[in-house]
Amino acid sequence: MTPKRFLIFLLFLLSLLCSVCVGRVQVNLQALVPNHFGWAEEFKRIFLTRLFSFQRDRRYRAVFNTFHPHVKMTLLKQDSPKEILGAFCDEIFPSNTTTILHINNPLSIRRRTAASQYVTELAVYFGIPLISWDADDSGGSQNRVESRTLQIAPTIHHQTQAMFTLLQRYNWTLISIVTSTTAGHIDFISELRALSKNSLKVKSSTYGHQQIRIEVISNIILRNITNKSQTMKELTGLIETESRVILLHSNSLQSKYIMDYAHELGIAGTEYVWILSQSAIPTAKYAPRSFHLGLLGVSYDHGKVAMENAIKMAATTWVTALNNIAMKRTLISSISPNLTCEGNSHMFWKNGSKFYDHLRNVTVTGPPNIRFNETGILMSTELKIMNIQRRGTGKMWEQVGSWNKEGLVMKDITWPGEAAGPPRGKPARKFVRVVTLQENPYVIYLPSDPITGGCNPTAVPCKVYERDENKNRLSNITIPKCCIGLSIDLLKILSNELDFDYELFEVEDGQWGAENQDTNEWNGLPRALVDKKADWVVTSLKINPERASVVDFSAPYLETGITIIVAIREGAISATAFLEPYDYPSWTLILVFSVHATGASIFIFEWLSPYGLNQGKTTLRGN
């Protein structure tokens, strides 16, 4: 090829490229990153590398034929509202930015909650979709669709779900919530309460399926943690509850104070389980002195590698959404926000909601898997279950499990007090002494198994006395037997529901209970309660006012009555049926006696009456 023809060919290619460039729409992804974040420049390189990889991928040919994607990064030096607003006016609006990526990772960057909220509010105000890495985001109750925000960091919503799965795993059904006023504490509480209302526990098929309720017993918000006396007074309420599982959400400094106070109050011992949210876990290698062995926490990767993956995920989501738009040939002409800070009118990107829908509907089969729920929360999130374990002479956080949407995977855990198994999550079972007395069908005595000495599943062990025909004791030693009956069934149900153990024995004198009128002392079952030899009476003890004056009765669980019954007469009733209660000689005697007795009574009355015969002084004619 001659130099002249080669020059003409180069001019043709240049004109062709220019025509292509002119036909494409420039779009921009703007990243806002704090300047003190040491990995900012490296992350910018990752952005550009990721964008170049899409250019070489034939699946994304449509996006580069239609758009000219560009990535820019703004370093926020002071993180002030003025600087953030300036970034919107000077860099985001002029470059036709369709999406903002904002990084707020307080675990690797110093906490900047106010700056994060301001960025979110400005994005909402101008209607620009926001892809956010924000560990302070609750991911819960707020209307995220209206805010046009995609959240790629694990949220409080995910953490509470992981905690709840952990509760179900170890059958901890009663919980208490303790929070400070740190970011997300209201959402932490509301998420747990919502999960409590809809809780279902599904056990393996070996044991069948059983549904249980995880109940929030108490909720304490500590507003002034540095005030020791006030905070300890508020934490004292945990002692009086039935829950021994406490879920804590605070920042890492506050959690140290709280655990110090908990140890002083005795609510961080072997009976108690504390589960910390990510923000409450200190980032130091070794656990603080106040953090005891067996402490649990929910965490996630927040280091450099995790952030790099998040940036790749954000770039993939953005380019995939543009590619879908390019292939469907929709929204291309109206993809420019055309926003400016000039003028007094409210600038708002109306079509931003359509572009947000394309972002939210992105589905990529990974790794990493990208899919968002209807509120813009990344669904394929993985969390770590952390546990404080002994390492040499110190204590360290160690990963003992992982959680994702598929479920929870756990391995060996160090439990509080280095116990062999998990705490029950409830106070130790109480012990109740129960006295009884035989009466069919309420309490029935059966012999125990002659070989094992045990009872069948429907009966419970009980101790009774050997008695003669008159119910007098033959000895002072009880013998083991088995008790069944209606009252015994009720006792077993109460034991399970109220969580207590019991000892069942027969009353010594074998009496139901009556008061001695001379000494005003009771015998029988009431006497066992009065003398505190028993805590409960479980049998068919009848309720009457006298017994109720010395013992407390429960609400009646069965009512009975005594009635008179007669046989039903068959046939017609005769006219002389009223004479049947007595025989004829009886009726004759009644008739003769009643006539004579009545006549004699009338005569005596008239004889004595001054208005009658007056003892013979008045003649019969005159009377």
Side-chain angles (χ1 to χ4, degrees), residues 442-454:
Y442 307 101
V443 178
I444 304 171
Y445 297 162
L446 297 177
S448 57
D449 189 289
I451 300 176
T452 64

Side-chain angles (χ1 to χ4, degrees), residues 413-487:
I413 295 179
T414 296
W415 298 109
E418 298 185 89
R424 297 181 61 252
K426 301 176 183 178
R429 288 173 67 94
K430 298 178 181 178
F431 185 78
V432 179
R433 298 165 301 169
V434 182
V435 64
T436 188
L437 190 58
Q438 182 178 18
E439 182 176 3
N440 298 343
Y442 307 101
V443 178
I444 304 171
Y445 297 162
L446 297 177
S448 57
D449 189 289
I451 300 176
T452 64
C455 300
N456 63 56
T458 61
V460 300
C462 55
K463 299 177 181 179
V464 302
Y465 292 96
E466 285 189 287
R467 302 181 185 274
D468 58 18
E469 296 178 355
N470 297 322
K471 297 185 179 181
N472 297 317
R473 281 188 300 165
L474 299 179
S475 69
N476 293 326
I477 300 175
T478 58
I479 58 175
K481 285 198 174 184
C482 298
C483 290
I484 62 171
L486 176 62
S487 296

Side-chain angles (χ1 to χ4, degrees), residues 27 60 70 72 100 138 140 187 230 243 275 300 349 458 564:
V27 289
Y60 292 91
H70 189 63
K72 294 181 65 177
I100 299 172
S138 69
D187 295 297
Q230 177 184 339
S243 171
I275 306 176
Y300 51 85
W349 186 21
T458 61
I564 299 175

